[in-house]
Amino acid sequence: MIPSILPTYNRAPLSFVRGEGSWLVEADGSRYLDLGAGIAVNALGHAHPALVEAVTRQAQALWHVSNLYEIPQQRELADRLVDATFADTVFFTNSGTEACELAVKMARKYWYEAGEERHEIVTFAGAFHGRSTAAIAAAGSEKMTKGFGPLMPGFVNVPWGDHHGTRAAITDRTAAVLIEPIQGEGGIRQVPDQCLKGLRELCDDTGALMIFDEVQCGMGRTGRLFAHEWAGVTPDIMMIAKGIGGGFPLGAVLATERAARGMTAGTHGSTYGGNPLACAVGSALMDIVSDPDFLADVLRKAGLFRQRLEGLVAAHPDVFEEVRGSGLMLGLKCRAPVAEVVSAARDAHLLLVPAAENTARILPPLNISEEDIGQALERLDRTATTVKADAAA
Ligand SMILES: *Cc1c(COP(=O)(O)O)cnc(C)c1O
């Protein structure tokens, strides 16, 4: 019999009743160190006082009015995002997938307004942009698309790291290039700064718009507010979600005035997008995460974490292969099957998130303490010992 919850997930047999900073707590009081942060969502950990305060205060005043009216909380968050980035304008969504939908629509509308037949969106193998029909077509992987055809046309998927193929794919039919500066689901695969720069130049040469998907790598995760800042390039359109809401569903599309020129009244909408409750939380989170001192602290702790992970890999070369990623968006590429590593870590009360390329993702709250990083390493060391012992048995 089908369960009451549609069985599209293989869930771990854990159920939490409370969160405290970087820790999750079960009903019986058992505590798990959370290095997944709800898949890079709980940017400030669980139950951060400033976010609890923001959501409580707003919940007592007003939750939802719809976009038929002015929403000051939405304006405040949009102004903050515009001030902090390349963008001139923002549309709020409830998720990364919805941000992907608008990013694709915006790019196509741009070319429609220009009177040019440019519909194609160039994407990359291993990408993840969500689970809508457009987002799975964008990712192009068999795993996500099989059985869901006919696929939305107009996506051209290029092999990862294929410079020649990328150049060949970007033509006078290309509306936009869509890329994650660091692939998350794809196994913490970072686009080298030089390649992101080269891609920007290719887009400039051909007129194609550049869309960055910073749903996972953005919002302070790499020690800069957005990952692309490291490469010194900016996109025309950017999708964000996950960390911006700190656990409250919130996403957004950021764009330049030029890229957004086709999006006039009536061309797009959302019932819930940009509601007062979500935006109050988003503003409280932006307050903290966009502070240069906070970002400097992320970088400092990321350096410490990474150095210790390199030591872990050196100590257990038969279990781990390498450390990947940037800032607190880290990956442990494993030699042992990643599912075994994640499961042994869980037995050590440590939560990791598996990804492609046999990689375990480490996406802790950005405000994780040094003490908890120490705890994480101790538990990872125990995990490696267990995985080795199991392999030998
Ligand atoms: C999670 C994710 C999405 C989809 O976001 P949802 O909020 O799950 O719809 C899109 N792009 C990237 C890079 C993601 O990590």
Side-chain angles (χ1 to χ4, degrees), residues 85-269:
T85 67
F86 72 95
D88 303 311
T89 189
V90 182
F91 183 94
F92 291 103
T93 66
N94 310 287
S95 68
T97 302
E98 288 167 78
C100 180
E101 291 297 312
L102 172 55
V104 168
K105 283 177 69 178
M106 186 183 280
R108 287 183 174 166
K109 190 66 165 24
Y110 172 90
W111 289 109
Y112 173 84
E113 296 294 331
E116 290 193 43
E117 291 267 327
R118 295 179 68 151
H119 309 137
E120 286 179 6
I121 312 284
V122 172
T123 62
F124 296 88
F128 183 81
H129 303 297
R131 296 290 200 145
S132 66
T133 46
I136 62 174
S141 75
E142 161 113 351
K143 182 178 160 228
M144 266 184 283
T145 58
K146 195 173 180 203
F148 296 115
L151 288 186
M152 163 110 45
F155 293 91
V156 179
N157 199 267
V158 177
W160 172 264
D162 178 356
H163 290 173
H164 181 76
T166 304
R167 225 169 284 124
I170 303 175
T171 68
D172 58 7
R173 293 184 308 280
T174 307
V177 175
L178 165 57
I179 191 166
E180 296 157 84
I182 306 173
Q183 285 190 347
E185 308 300 313
I188 311 292
R189 290 201 295 187
Q190 183 164 12
V191 182
D193 289 350
Q194 273 317 108
C195 298
L196 217 51
K197 278 202 184 107
L199 203 53
R200 178 73 261 185
E201 281 163 22
L202 271 177
C203 287
D204 289 341
D205 291 348
T206 56
L209 297 174
M210 191 162 204
I211 306 172
F212 287 159
D213 179 346
E214 292 229 16
V215 168
Q216 195 161 150
C217 63
M219 285 315 293
R221 186 77 14 218
T222 65
R224 290 274 185 96
L225 190 54
F226 292 103
H228 68 262
E229 294 172 26
W230 290 109
V233 297
T234 57
D236 303 289
I237 300 171
M238 179 166 73
M239 303 153 46
I240 65 172
K242 293 202 166 98
I244 178 75
F248 200 94
L250 176 61
V253 172
L254 282 64
T256 62
E257 181 167 14
R258 187 174 73 95
R261 69 182 174 194
M263 303 308 294
T264 51
T267 55
H268 196 66

Side-chain angles (χ1 to χ4, degrees), residues 49-63:
L51 301 192
V52 172
E53 219 262 320
V55 80
T56 307
R57 190 160 23 89
Q58 189 58 45
Q60 285 163 348
L62 186 67
W63 294 23

